[in-house]
mmCIF file of all heavy atoms in Angstrom:
data_model
loop_
_atom_site.group_PDB
_atom_site.id
_atom_site.type_symbol
_atom_site.label_atom_id
_atom_site.label_comp_id
_atom_site.label_asym_id
_atom_site.label_seq_id
_atom_site.Cartn_x
_atom_site.Cartn_y
_atom_site.Cartn_z
ATOM 1 N N MET A 1 46.894 130.910 135.155
ATOM 2 C CA MET A 1 47.044 129.475 135.027
ATOM 3 C C MET A 1 48.488 129.041 134.922
ATOM 4 O O MET A 1 48.844 128.129 134.238
ATOM 5 C CB MET A 1 46.257 128.917 133.858
ATOM 6 C CG MET A 1 45.942 129.847 132.748
ATOM 7 S SD MET A 1 45.052 129.120 131.417
ATOM 8 C CE MET A 1 45.395 130.372 130.200
ATOM 9 N N ALA A 2 49.328 129.745 135.566
ATOM 10 C CA ALA A 2 50.707 129.316 135.587
ATOM 11 C C ALA A 2 50.910 128.297 136.693
ATOM 12 O O ALA A 2 50.311 128.394 137.740
ATOM 13 C CB ALA A 2 51.616 130.489 135.813
ATOM 14 N N GLY A 3 51.767 127.378 136.444
ATOM 15 C CA GLY A 3 52.158 126.489 137.521
ATOM 16 C C GLY A 3 51.396 125.185 137.585
ATOM 17 O O GLY A 3 51.781 124.221 136.961
ATOM 18 N N THR A 4 50.330 125.190 138.332
ATOM 19 C CA THR A 4 49.681 123.918 138.608
ATOM 20 C C THR A 4 49.118 123.280 137.353
ATOM 21 O O THR A 4 48.323 123.885 136.653
ATOM 22 C CB THR A 4 48.514 124.115 139.588
ATOM 23 O OG1 THR A 4 48.885 125.085 140.526
ATOM 24 C CG2 THR A 4 48.184 122.822 140.272
ATOM 25 N N GLN A 5 49.537 122.100 137.120
ATOM 26 C CA GLN A 5 48.966 121.380 136.003
ATOM 27 C C GLN A 5 48.280 120.138 136.542
ATOM 28 O O GLN A 5 48.907 119.168 136.900
ATOM 29 C CB GLN A 5 50.058 121.001 135.004
ATOM 30 C CG GLN A 5 49.456 120.528 133.698
ATOM 31 C CD GLN A 5 50.513 120.346 132.632
ATOM 32 O OE1 GLN A 5 51.624 119.955 132.920
ATOM 33 N NE2 GLN A 5 50.170 120.623 131.403
ATOM 34 N N GLN A 6 46.985 120.239 136.657
ATOM 35 C CA GLN A 6 46.263 119.110 137.217
ATOM 36 C C GLN A 6 45.517 118.412 136.098
ATOM 37 O O GLN A 6 44.518 118.906 135.598
ATOM 38 C CB GLN A 6 45.297 119.610 138.272
ATOM 39 C CG GLN A 6 44.686 118.460 139.059
ATOM 40 C CD GLN A 6 44.299 118.913 140.457
ATOM 41 O OE1 GLN A 6 43.964 120.064 140.652
ATOM 42 N NE2 GLN A 6 44.360 118.025 141.410
ATOM 43 N N SER A 7 46.049 117.322 135.680
ATOM 44 C CA SER A 7 45.393 116.582 134.623
ATOM 45 C C SER A 7 44.239 115.797 135.207
ATOM 46 O O SER A 7 44.287 115.389 136.351
ATOM 47 C CB SER A 7 46.387 115.650 133.945
ATOM 48 O OG SER A 7 47.037 114.862 134.906
ATOM 49 N N ALA A 8 43.230 115.610 134.429
ATOM 50 C CA ALA A 8 42.139 114.736 134.845
ATOM 51 C C ALA A 8 42.716 113.358 135.105
ATOM 52 O O ALA A 8 43.673 112.948 134.463
ATOM 53 C CB ALA A 8 41.096 114.670 133.742
ATOM 54 N N SER A 9 42.150 112.677 136.039
ATOM 55 C CA SER A 9 42.724 111.377 136.352
ATOM 56 C C SER A 9 42.547 110.426 135.174
ATOM 57 O O SER A 9 41.486 110.338 134.577
ATOM 58 C CB SER A 9 42.110 110.805 137.615
ATOM 59 O OG SER A 9 40.752 110.566 137.442
ATOM 60 N N ARG A 10 43.631 109.802 134.855
ATOM 61 C CA ARG A 10 43.630 108.895 133.714
ATOM 62 C C ARG A 10 44.058 107.528 134.177
ATOM 63 O O ARG A 10 44.835 107.385 135.106
ATOM 64 C CB ARG A 10 44.616 109.384 132.651
ATOM 65 C CG ARG A 10 44.191 110.680 132.056
ATOM 66 C CD ARG A 10 45.133 111.067 130.935
ATOM 67 N NE ARG A 10 44.335 111.507 129.805
ATOM 68 C CZ ARG A 10 44.232 110.842 128.660
ATOM 69 N NH1 ARG A 10 44.926 109.751 128.468
ATOM 70 N NH2 ARG A 10 43.472 111.275 127.708
ATOM 71 N N SER A 11 43.556 106.555 133.484
ATOM 72 C CA SER A 11 43.993 105.191 133.746
ATOM 73 C C SER A 11 44.747 104.705 132.535
ATOM 74 O O SER A 11 44.477 105.133 131.424
ATOM 75 C CB SER A 11 42.780 104.285 133.974
ATOM 76 O OG SER A 11 42.076 104.688 135.111
ATOM 77 N N HIS A 12 45.685 103.829 132.756
ATOM 78 C CA HIS A 12 46.317 103.224 131.598
ATOM 79 C C HIS A 12 46.591 101.750 131.823
ATOM 80 O O HIS A 12 46.703 101.287 132.952
ATOM 81 C CB HIS A 12 47.571 103.980 131.170
ATOM 82 C CG HIS A 12 48.729 103.822 132.096
ATOM 83 N ND1 HIS A 12 48.960 104.692 133.136
ATOM 84 C CD2 HIS A 12 49.721 102.900 132.141
ATOM 85 C CE1 HIS A 12 50.045 104.307 133.776
ATOM 86 N NE2 HIS A 12 50.530 103.224 133.210
ATOM 87 N N CYS A 13 46.648 101.070 130.708
ATOM 88 C CA CYS A 13 46.863 99.626 130.732
ATOM 89 C C CYS A 13 48.361 99.356 130.799
ATOM 90 O O CYS A 13 49.126 99.864 129.976
ATOM 91 C CB CYS A 13 46.261 99.025 129.465
ATOM 92 S SG CYS A 13 46.631 97.287 129.266
ATOM 93 N N TRP A 14 48.753 98.560 131.765
ATOM 94 C CA TRP A 14 50.177 98.242 131.897
ATOM 95 C C TRP A 14 50.628 97.261 130.829
ATOM 96 O O TRP A 14 51.812 97.125 130.555
ATOM 97 C CB TRP A 14 50.453 97.630 133.267
ATOM 98 C CG TRP A 14 50.233 98.580 134.412
ATOM 99 C CD1 TRP A 14 49.204 98.541 135.303
ATOM 100 C CD2 TRP A 14 51.054 99.688 134.799
ATOM 101 N NE1 TRP A 14 49.344 99.567 136.211
ATOM 102 C CE2 TRP A 14 50.455 100.277 135.929
ATOM 103 C CE3 TRP A 14 52.231 100.235 134.282
ATOM 104 C CZ2 TRP A 14 51.002 101.392 136.566
ATOM 105 C CZ3 TRP A 14 52.768 101.349 134.917
ATOM 106 C CH2 TRP A 14 52.161 101.911 136.042
ATOM 107 N N THR A 15 49.702 96.584 130.233
ATOM 108 C CA THR A 15 50.068 95.548 129.270
ATOM 109 C C THR A 15 50.304 96.116 127.871
ATOM 110 O O THR A 15 51.321 95.843 127.251
ATOM 111 C CB THR A 15 48.971 94.477 129.227
ATOM 112 O OG1 THR A 15 48.791 93.966 130.541
ATOM 113 C CG2 THR A 15 49.346 93.348 128.292
ATOM 114 N N CYS A 16 49.374 96.933 127.378
ATOM 115 C CA CYS A 16 49.529 97.407 125.995
ATOM 116 C C CYS A 16 49.689 98.921 125.906
ATOM 117 O O CYS A 16 49.967 99.449 124.844
ATOM 118 C CB CYS A 16 48.333 96.948 125.150
ATOM 119 S SG CYS A 16 46.822 97.865 125.510
ATOM 120 N N GLY A 17 49.486 99.626 127.024
ATOM 121 C CA GLY A 17 49.696 101.064 127.009
ATOM 122 C C GLY A 17 48.467 101.882 126.647
ATOM 123 O O GLY A 17 48.538 103.104 126.570
ATOM 124 N N PHE A 18 47.345 101.239 126.440
ATOM 125 C CA PHE A 18 46.107 101.970 126.170
ATOM 126 C C PHE A 18 45.812 102.931 127.314
ATOM 127 O O PHE A 18 46.026 102.623 128.472
ATOM 128 C CB PHE A 18 44.956 100.975 126.004
ATOM 129 C CG PHE A 18 43.616 101.629 125.793
ATOM 130 C CD1 PHE A 18 43.239 102.057 124.533
ATOM 131 C CD2 PHE A 18 42.751 101.812 126.859
ATOM 132 C CE1 PHE A 18 42.000 102.661 124.340
ATOM 133 C CE2 PHE A 18 41.506 102.416 126.671
ATOM 134 C CZ PHE A 18 41.139 102.840 125.409
ATOM 135 N N GLU A 19 45.340 104.120 126.960
ATOM 136 C CA GLU A 19 45.093 105.130 127.984
ATOM 137 C C GLU A 19 43.770 105.831 127.715
ATOM 138 O O GLU A 19 43.438 106.133 126.581
ATOM 139 C CB GLU A 19 46.245 106.132 127.956
ATOM 140 C CG GLU A 19 46.293 107.029 129.160
ATOM 141 C CD GLU A 19 47.521 107.925 129.108
ATOM 142 O OE1 GLU A 19 47.458 108.961 128.438
ATOM 143 O OE2 GLU A 19 48.540 107.572 129.719
ATOM 144 N N ALA A 20 43.017 106.079 128.763
ATOM 145 C CA ALA A 20 41.748 106.791 128.657
ATOM 146 C C ALA A 20 41.426 107.370 130.019
ATOM 147 O O ALA A 20 41.974 106.920 131.029
ATOM 148 C CB ALA A 20 40.650 105.838 128.188
ATOM 149 N N PRO A 21 40.575 108.373 130.070
ATOM 150 C CA PRO A 21 40.210 108.935 131.367
ATOM 151 C C PRO A 21 39.622 107.871 132.290
ATOM 152 O O PRO A 21 38.869 107.010 131.840
ATOM 153 C CB PRO A 21 39.142 109.981 131.004
ATOM 154 C CG PRO A 21 39.416 110.339 129.590
ATOM 155 C CD PRO A 21 39.937 109.075 128.958
ATOM 156 N N ALA A 22 39.999 107.962 133.557
ATOM 157 C CA ALA A 22 39.472 107.002 134.519
ATOM 158 C C ALA A 22 37.953 107.099 134.568
ATOM 159 O O ALA A 22 37.391 108.176 134.599
ATOM 160 C CB ALA A 22 40.066 107.279 135.886
ATOM 161 N N GLY A 23 37.310 105.981 134.542
ATOM 162 C CA GLY A 23 35.856 105.964 134.619
ATOM 163 C C GLY A 23 35.172 106.188 133.283
ATOM 164 O O GLY A 23 33.959 106.115 133.178
ATOM 165 N N SER A 24 35.952 106.437 132.249
ATOM 166 C CA SER A 24 35.390 106.619 130.920
ATOM 167 C C SER A 24 34.752 105.330 130.431
ATOM 168 O O SER A 24 35.178 104.235 130.790
ATOM 169 C CB SER A 24 36.520 107.027 129.978
ATOM 170 O OG SER A 24 36.210 106.695 128.648
ATOM 171 N N ASP A 25 33.736 105.465 129.597
ATOM 172 C CA ASP A 25 33.117 104.230 129.099
ATOM 173 C C ASP A 25 33.926 103.595 127.981
ATOM 174 O O ASP A 25 33.516 102.617 127.387
ATOM 175 C CB ASP A 25 31.656 104.439 128.705
ATOM 176 C CG ASP A 25 31.467 105.513 127.654
ATOM 177 O OD1 ASP A 25 32.488 106.065 127.189
ATOM 178 O OD2 ASP A 25 30.325 105.805 127.296
ATOM 179 N N ARG A 26 35.089 104.141 127.722
ATOM 180 C CA ARG A 26 36.009 103.442 126.822
ATOM 181 C C ARG A 26 36.606 102.226 127.506
ATOM 182 O O ARG A 26 37.059 101.304 126.851
ATOM 183 C CB ARG A 26 37.114 104.379 126.345
ATOM 184 C CG ARG A 26 36.615 105.253 125.198
ATOM 185 C CD ARG A 26 37.754 105.961 124.536
ATOM 186 N NE ARG A 26 37.959 107.257 125.169
ATOM 187 C CZ ARG A 26 38.992 108.036 124.918
ATOM 188 N NH1 ARG A 26 39.916 107.660 124.077
ATOM 189 N NH2 ARG A 26 39.112 109.196 125.514
ATOM 190 N N TRP A 27 36.640 102.268 128.820
ATOM 191 C CA TRP A 27 37.071 101.088 129.559
ATOM 192 C C TRP A 27 35.902 100.127 129.705
ATOM 193 O O TRP A 27 34.765 100.544 129.845
ATOM 194 C CB TRP A 27 37.559 101.495 130.948
ATOM 195 C CG TRP A 27 38.792 102.322 130.920
ATOM 196 C CD1 TRP A 27 38.882 103.661 131.168
ATOM 197 C CD2 TRP A 27 40.127 101.884 130.636
ATOM 198 N NE1 TRP A 27 40.186 104.064 131.053
ATOM 199 C CE2 TRP A 27 40.961 103.006 130.721
ATOM 200 C CE3 TRP A 27 40.681 100.642 130.313
ATOM 201 C CZ2 TRP A 27 42.341 102.922 130.501
ATOM 202 C CZ3 TRP A 27 42.038 100.558 130.090
ATOM 203 C CH2 TRP A 27 42.860 101.688 130.182
ATOM 204 N N GLU A 28 36.232 98.874 129.708
ATOM 205 C CA GLU A 28 35.208 97.888 130.027
ATOM 206 C C GLU A 28 35.284 97.593 131.515
ATOM 207 O O GLU A 28 36.343 97.656 132.117
ATOM 208 C CB GLU A 28 35.469 96.600 129.248
ATOM 209 C CG GLU A 28 35.332 96.806 127.757
ATOM 210 C CD GLU A 28 35.676 95.534 126.986
ATOM 211 O OE1 GLU A 28 35.936 94.491 127.608
ATOM 212 O OE2 GLU A 28 35.670 95.609 125.757
ATOM 213 N N THR A 29 34.160 97.277 132.088
ATOM 214 C CA THR A 29 34.181 96.838 133.477
ATOM 215 C C THR A 29 33.629 95.429 133.560
ATOM 216 O O THR A 29 32.709 95.055 132.837
ATOM 217 C CB THR A 29 33.373 97.768 134.391
ATOM 218 O OG1 THR A 29 32.056 97.905 133.880
ATOM 219 C CG2 THR A 29 34.013 99.142 134.480
ATOM 220 N N ILE A 30 34.222 94.683 134.429
ATOM 221 C CA ILE A 30 33.749 93.323 134.650
ATOM 222 C C ILE A 30 33.527 93.126 136.142
ATOM 223 O O ILE A 30 34.174 93.758 136.967
ATOM 224 C CB ILE A 30 34.761 92.275 134.140
ATOM 225 C CG1 ILE A 30 36.143 92.478 134.773
ATOM 226 C CG2 ILE A 30 34.851 92.318 132.620
ATOM 227 C CD1 ILE A 30 37.092 91.345 134.469
ATOM 228 N N ASP A 31 32.588 92.266 136.471
ATOM 229 C CA ASP A 31 32.342 91.965 137.869
ATOM 230 C C ASP A 31 33.051 90.678 138.244
ATOM 231 O O ASP A 31 32.888 89.652 137.598
ATOM 232 C CB ASP A 31 30.840 91.804 138.111
ATOM 233 C CG ASP A 31 30.112 93.138 137.960
ATOM 234 O OD1 ASP A 31 30.653 94.140 138.431
ATOM 235 O OD2 ASP A 31 29.025 93.147 137.374
ATOM 236 N N VAL A 32 33.860 90.776 139.266
ATOM 237 C CA VAL A 32 34.563 89.605 139.765
ATOM 238 C C VAL A 32 34.024 89.320 141.155
ATOM 239 O O VAL A 32 34.000 90.214 142.011
ATOM 240 C CB VAL A 32 36.082 89.867 139.826
ATOM 241 C CG1 VAL A 32 36.820 88.651 140.353
ATOM 242 C CG2 VAL A 32 36.601 90.244 138.439
ATOM 243 N N VAL A 33 33.593 88.107 141.372
ATOM 244 C CA VAL A 33 32.891 87.780 142.607
ATOM 245 C C VAL A 33 33.674 88.179 143.845
ATOM 246 O O VAL A 33 33.158 88.822 144.741
ATOM 247 C CB VAL A 33 32.567 86.273 142.646
ATOM 248 C CG1 VAL A 33 31.928 85.918 143.981
ATOM 249 C CG2 VAL A 33 31.634 85.918 141.500
ATOM 250 N N SER A 34 34.932 87.849 143.873
ATOM 251 C CA SER A 34 35.694 88.094 145.092
ATOM 252 C C SER A 34 36.254 89.506 145.191
ATOM 253 O O SER A 34 36.612 89.956 146.266
ATOM 254 C CB SER A 34 36.825 87.072 145.198
ATOM 255 O OG SER A 34 37.593 87.106 144.027
ATOM 256 N N LEU A 35 36.331 90.193 144.088
ATOM 257 C CA LEU A 35 37.013 91.488 144.076
ATOM 258 C C LEU A 35 36.097 92.676 143.806
ATOM 259 O O LEU A 35 36.486 93.821 144.014
ATOM 260 C CB LEU A 35 38.116 91.481 143.017
ATOM 261 C CG LEU A 35 39.237 90.468 143.247
ATOM 262 C CD1 LEU A 35 40.149 90.429 142.040
ATOM 263 C CD2 LEU A 35 40.040 90.804 144.488
ATOM 264 N N GLY A 36 34.900 92.410 143.305
ATOM 265 C CA GLY A 36 34.022 93.523 142.947
ATOM 266 C C GLY A 36 34.206 93.891 141.483
ATOM 267 O O GLY A 36 34.576 93.061 140.664
ATOM 268 N N THR A 37 33.983 95.150 141.171
ATOM 269 C CA THR A 37 34.082 95.589 139.788
ATOM 270 C C THR A 37 35.522 95.934 139.440
ATOM 271 O O THR A 37 36.193 96.632 140.179
ATOM 272 C CB THR A 37 33.190 96.819 139.571
ATOM 273 O OG1 THR A 37 31.862 96.486 139.935
ATOM 274 C CG2 THR A 37 33.205 97.250 138.116
ATOM 275 N N MET A 38 35.965 95.425 138.320
ATOM 276 C CA MET A 38 37.319 95.732 137.863
ATOM 277 C C MET A 38 37.262 96.389 136.506
ATOM 278 O O MET A 38 36.342 96.180 135.730
ATOM 279 C CB MET A 38 38.140 94.443 137.753
ATOM 280 C CG MET A 38 38.384 93.784 139.079
ATOM 281 S SD MET A 38 39.524 92.402 138.891
ATOM 282 C CE MET A 38 41.050 93.283 138.592
ATOM 283 N N THR A 39 38.274 97.170 136.226
ATOM 284 C CA THR A 39 38.394 97.803 134.916
ATOM 285 C C THR A 39 39.177 96.892 133.992
ATOM 286 O O THR A 39 40.198 96.338 134.388
ATOM 287 C CB THR A 39 39.119 99.145 135.063
ATOM 288 O OG1 THR A 39 38.380 99.959 135.967
ATOM 289 C CG2 THR A 39 39.235 99.862 133.731
ATOM 290 N N ARG A 40 38.720 96.765 132.790
ATOM 291 C CA ARG A 40 39.427 95.927 131.829
ATOM 292 C C ARG A 40 39.737 96.716 130.573
ATOM 293 O O ARG A 40 38.908 97.491 130.088
ATOM 294 C CB ARG A 40 38.579 94.708 131.485
ATOM 295 C CG ARG A 40 39.337 93.739 130.594
ATOM 296 C CD ARG A 40 38.624 92.431 130.442
ATOM 297 N NE ARG A 40 37.387 92.591 129.674
ATOM 298 C CZ ARG A 40 36.610 91.580 129.328
ATOM 299 N NH1 ARG A 40 36.908 90.363 129.699
ATOM 300 N NH2 ARG A 40 35.524 91.792 128.633
ATOM 301 N N CYS A 41 40.916 96.496 130.056
ATOM 302 C CA CYS A 41 41.349 97.169 128.842
ATOM 303 C C CYS A 41 40.578 96.637 127.631
ATOM 304 O O CYS A 41 40.524 95.432 127.417
ATOM 305 C CB CYS A 41 42.844 96.926 128.656
ATOM 306 S SG CYS A 41 43.480 97.579 127.105
ATOM 307 N N PRO A 42 39.986 97.518 126.835
ATOM 308 C CA PRO A 42 39.257 97.076 125.645
ATOM 309 C C PRO A 42 40.173 96.631 124.517
ATOM 310 O O PRO A 42 39.751 95.978 123.577
ATOM 311 C CB PRO A 42 38.464 98.317 125.242
ATOM 312 C CG PRO A 42 39.263 99.462 125.741
ATOM 313 C CD PRO A 42 39.923 98.977 127.012
ATOM 314 N N GLU A 43 41.435 97.007 124.591
ATOM 315 C CA GLU A 43 42.373 96.675 123.526
ATOM 316 C C GLU A 43 42.917 95.263 123.663
ATOM 317 O O GLU A 43 42.983 94.523 122.707
ATOM 318 C CB GLU A 43 43.554 97.651 123.541
ATOM 319 C CG GLU A 43 43.170 99.073 123.192
ATOM 320 C CD GLU A 43 42.912 99.238 121.708
ATOM 321 O OE1 GLU A 43 43.792 98.903 120.924
ATOM 322 O OE2 GLU A 43 41.811 99.702 121.347
ATOM 323 N N CYS A 44 43.340 94.926 124.845
ATOM 324 C CA CYS A 44 44.011 93.633 125.020
ATOM 325 C C CYS A 44 43.298 92.730 126.032
ATOM 326 O O CYS A 44 43.679 91.584 126.198
ATOM 327 C CB CYS A 44 45.470 93.842 125.429
ATOM 328 S SG CYS A 44 45.674 94.502 127.078
ATOM 329 N N GLY A 45 42.284 93.266 126.704
ATOM 330 C CA GLY A 45 41.514 92.427 127.615
ATOM 331 C C GLY A 45 42.165 92.218 128.970
ATOM 332 O O GLY A 45 41.666 91.469 129.797
ATOM 333 N N SER A 46 43.258 92.920 129.213
ATOM 334 C CA SER A 46 43.939 92.784 130.482
ATOM 335 C C SER A 46 43.218 93.557 131.576
ATOM 336 O O SER A 46 42.654 94.612 131.339
ATOM 337 C CB SER A 46 45.363 93.303 130.339
ATOM 338 O OG SER A 46 45.987 93.345 131.611
ATOM 339 N N THR A 47 43.255 93.031 132.783
ATOM 340 C CA THR A 47 42.726 93.798 133.917
ATOM 341 C C THR A 47 43.860 94.450 134.687
ATOM 342 O O THR A 47 43.669 94.982 135.766
ATOM 343 C CB THR A 47 41.930 92.896 134.862
ATOM 344 O OG1 THR A 47 42.724 91.790 135.245
ATOM 345 C CG2 THR A 47 40.651 92.421 134.206
ATOM 346 N N ASN A 48 45.045 94.401 134.120
ATOM 347 C CA ASN A 48 46.204 95.026 134.751
ATOM 348 C C ASN A 48 46.230 96.505 134.371
ATOM 349 O O ASN A 48 47.028 96.959 133.558
ATOM 350 C CB ASN A 48 47.473 94.308 134.298
ATOM 351 C CG ASN A 48 48.675 94.697 135.118
ATOM 352 O OD1 ASN A 48 48.562 95.358 136.151
ATOM 353 N ND2 ASN A 48 49.840 94.295 134.681
ATOM 354 N N VAL A 49 45.303 97.243 134.954
ATOM 355 C CA VAL A 49 45.072 98.638 134.576
ATOM 356 C C VAL A 49 45.280 99.511 135.795
ATOM 357 O O VAL A 49 44.807 99.192 136.878
ATOM 358 C CB VAL A 49 43.621 98.793 134.059
ATOM 359 C CG1 VAL A 49 43.266 100.249 133.843
ATOM 360 C CG2 VAL A 49 43.438 98.005 132.771
ATOM 361 N N SER A 50 45.988 100.592 135.630
ATOM 362 C CA SER A 50 46.167 101.501 136.755
ATOM 363 C C SER A 50 44.873 102.247 137.003
ATOM 364 O O SER A 50 44.233 102.714 136.070
ATOM 365 C CB SER A 50 47.288 102.495 136.463
ATOM 366 O OG SER A 50 46.818 103.518 135.602
ATOM 367 N N SER A 51 44.495 102.345 138.240
ATOM 368 C CA SER A 51 43.337 103.170 138.560
ATOM 369 C C SER A 51 43.833 104.593 138.722
ATOM 370 O O SER A 51 44.818 104.829 139.377
ATOM 371 C CB SER A 51 42.665 102.688 139.837
ATOM 372 O OG SER A 51 43.460 103.033 140.943
ATOM 373 N N GLY A 52 43.178 105.533 138.127
ATOM 374 C CA GLY A 52 43.672 106.906 138.129
ATOM 375 C C GLY A 52 43.766 107.546 139.490
ATOM 376 O O GLY A 52 44.161 108.682 139.606
ATOM 377 N N ARG A 53 43.437 106.850 140.540
ATOM 378 C CA ARG A 53 43.581 107.422 141.870
ATOM 379 C C ARG A 53 44.586 106.656 142.634
ATOM 380 O O ARG A 53 45.064 106.990 143.617
ATOM 381 C CB ARG A 53 42.253 107.442 142.604
ATOM 382 C CG ARG A 53 41.396 106.228 142.345
ATOM 383 C CD ARG A 53 40.107 106.337 143.129
ATOM 384 N NE ARG A 53 39.208 105.238 142.783
ATOM 385 C CZ ARG A 53 38.229 104.831 143.563
ATOM 386 N NH1 ARG A 53 38.005 105.424 144.676
ATOM 387 N NH2 ARG A 53 37.447 103.847 143.204
HETATM 388 ZN ZN1 LIG G 101 45.673 96.797 127.226
#
């Protein structure tokens, strides 16, 4: 296990810095009519969240 360090994909909130695995149920999801499902930060309510991919 030398060398490659492949972390599980994580998402983080650009607004408050909250971080959790992408797709984890720690994130809230909301449905937006024009955009589909978005991830929302449970800490600050921002949808400005990096998608782990
Ligand atoms: Zn946040």
Side-chain angles (χ1 to χ4, degrees):
M1 24 179 198
T4 323
Q5 193 171 35
Q6 190 152 30
S7 52
S9 64
R10 294 185 134 249
S11 297
H12 72 269
C13 173
W14 294 108
T15 303
C16 74
F18 177 83
E19 194 176 83
S24 156
D25 58 3
R26 279 192 269 171
W27 294 107
E28 295 177 4
T29 54
I30 56 171
D31 291 319
V32 180
V33 176
S34 54
L35 297 172
T37 303
M38 294 187 72
T39 302
R40 186 170 68 176
C41 175
E43 294 285 305
C44 69
S46 172
T47 54
N48 192 10
V49 172
S50 78
S51 73
R53 38 179 174 158

